[in-house]
Amino acid sequence: MNFNFLSPVSDAVLAQTELLSPQALGKQLKIHSAQNGMPDLDDVKLAIVAVKEVRNDIHYLGAEPDFDNLRKAFYSLFPGNWQSQIADLGDLEPGETTEDTYYALRTTITVLIENKVIPIIIGGSQDLTYPNYRAYDELLPMVNIVNVDTNFDIGDANLPLKNNSYVGKIIVEEPYNLFNYATLGYQTYFNAQDEIDLMEKLYFEAYRLGEVSGNINIVEPVMRDAHLVSIDLRAVRSAELSEKQKFSPNGFTGKEICAISRYAGISNSVSSFGIYEYCPSSKDHETTMLMAQMIWYFIEGVNCRVKDDNFQND
């Protein structure tokens, strides 16, 4: 597998990994490093890809994210009773244009899924869901998306693609592969009424925050047929996150967003998982640890999968 688009995990992260317990995740992963190059992925089930692209964020101010603190948090955790091998493939650097980044991400995801590896994409702005979706063009005839978000992110498809309008592009641009789009945790006051009406007209699924928080188990049937799951960190309430990441006093708790991540992992259909809108700062321990735990719970879910979707007699 050729992953020329990806740069290795930083030496600073690898140096800290040396100090970890032999049982820690950082000592169990296959890691893309400058010294050893890209690891062999023959037995890998899940692969982390961090994407530094944020130029289509409507609030873009010129800085790009750094994922070292997130990796340090994730590497410090201990694995569950897992059978799946995990790899960290490093960072996908921004291309000369956002289209270049999209192409690189789309190609990387397609190759991973073709080789039965589940990509865990860390971003970066949520418009990266668009190339993630386009990675399925040659893989599946129809695609189901679940978006965990305060907003529907439909926007105006006639305008340039942004992190608050990528779904509109998915709907109107060929090839028309979208079968179903579901939003978990939307908050009415963040969405225009015409977008809410459009979701109903298109027969897309929409679950309000209170509905999901009141019964977290409703997530399971929504995830059951999903192929792609995209989580916007702004769906998490501000009390759970670091200062720069705070968005709204209302949102999912850390426990709820981890449960949602686990349900995504349990689904036999989910073949790519992304966490977006990470805004790193010098003091963001809460955010990076929560993201690390979300990734942990997704992997836990994958390891709890039961092949129960084939009811044909052998």
Side-chain angles (χ1 to χ4, degrees):
M1 287 182 265
N2 190 352
F3 296 109
N4 293 331
F5 303 115
L6 299 169
S7 60
V9 173
S10 74
D11 290 338
V13 173
L14 297 176
Q16 179 162 314
T17 303
E18 291 300 315
L19 304 176
L20 296 174
S21 163
Q23 286 79 38
L25 268 171
K27 293 292 185 69
Q28 311 295 323
L29 301 178
K30 289 189 171 185
I31 301 174
H32 178 196
S33 65
Q35 181 176 0
N36 298 319
M38 184 64 69
D40 176 22
L41 301 184
D42 285 348
D43 61 342
V44 169
K45 175 71 174 178
L46 303 109
I48 296 169
V49 177
V51 189
K52 294 185 175 182
E53 181 61 76
V54 291
R55 285 173 290 182
N56 278 341
D57 184 341
I58 57 172
H59 301 297
Y60 175 62
L61 296 174
E64 64 182 42
D66 179 278
F67 300 100
D68 281 5
N69 288 334
L70 169 59
R71 284 192 166 98
K72 289 175 182 178
F74 179 66
Y75 288 10
S76 71
L77 303 179
F78 291 90
N81 185 23
W82 300 343
Q83 293 78 46
S84 302
Q85 179 67 58
I86 309 158
D88 187 341
L89 304 188
D91 294 338
L92 199 158
E93 303 288 341
E96 186 173 333
T97 66
T98 55
E99 291 300 323
D100 292 336
T101 310
Y102 290 168
Y103 173 79
L105 180 59
R106 171 182 173 173
T107 303
T108 300
I109 293 173
T110 300
V111 170
L112 287 171
I113 296 175
E114 282 179 335
N115 286 276
K116 298 186 174 7
V117 178
I118 300 172
I120 300 173
I121 305 105
I122 310 299
S125 47
Q126 203 182 13
D127 52 280
L128 295 169
T129 304
Y130 179 77
N132 186 0
Y133 163 73
R134 283 297 169 209
Y136 288 90
D137 283 354
E138 299 168 9
L139 300 173
L140 292 173
M142 302 301 289
V143 180
N144 297 324
I145 298 175
V146 172
N147 179 26
V148 183
D149 204 336
T150 59
N151 298 75
F152 298 129
D153 292 334
I154 295 176
D156 187 345
N158 295 315
L159 297 176
L161 190 148
K162 294 290 182 182
N163 63 336
N164 65 345
S165 63
Y166 64 90
V167 177
K169 294 286 187 183
I170 288 174
I171 294 171
V172 304
E173 291 194 351
E174 296 182 1
Y176 305 121
N177 299 343
L178 184 64
F179 183 75
N180 189 49
Y181 172 69
T183 302
L184 293 173
Y186 85 93
Q187 298 176 41
T188 307
Y189 37 73
F190 289 136
N191 295 273
Q193 188 59 46
D194 58 352
E195 283 203 354
I196 296 174
D197 294 340
L198 180 60
M199 288 288 289
E200 293 182 3
K201 289 178 181 177
L202 294 171
Y203 298 102
F204 289 157
E205 297 177 70
Y207 300 84
R208 293 178 64 175
L209 172 64
E211 189 178 359
V212 182
S213 295
N215 180 17
I216 198 71
N217 294 329
I218 67 173
V219 172
E220 191 276 330
V222 180
M223 292 292 186
R224 193 176 297 165
D225 295 322
H227 301 108
L228 184 167
V229 176
S230 175
I231 298 180
D232 187 331
L233 279 177
R234 296 185 305 171
V236 180
R237 68 179 185 177
S238 58
E240 311 285 313
L241 302 168
S242 309
E243 186 63 37
K244 196 173 180 182
Q245 197 71 51
K246 295 181 186 298
F247 175 69
S248 171
N250 285 310
F252 291 117
T253 65
K255 179 180 177 181
E256 290 166 346
I257 200 68
C258 286
I260 290 169
S261 300
R262 186 174 185 273
Y263 276 125
I266 288 174
S267 169
N268 286 317
S269 299
V270 172
S271 53
S272 61
F273 176 78
I275 304 173
Y276 301 101
E277 303 296 335
Y278 170 49
C279 301
S281 62
S282 57
K283 299 178 180 179
D284 64 350
H285 175 75
E286 294 94 336
T287 301
T288 53
M289 183 53 73
L290 178 58
M291 292 176 69
Q293 292 175 10
M294 290 166 65
I295 297 169
W296 190 99
Y297 272 103
F298 175 74
I299 297 170
E300 169 81 359
V302 171
N303 280 272
C304 291
R305 288 183 177 185
V306 177
K307 194 66 177 174
D308 62 354
D309 53 357
N310 184 358
F311 297 102
Q312 295 179 343
N313 293 325
D314 293 331

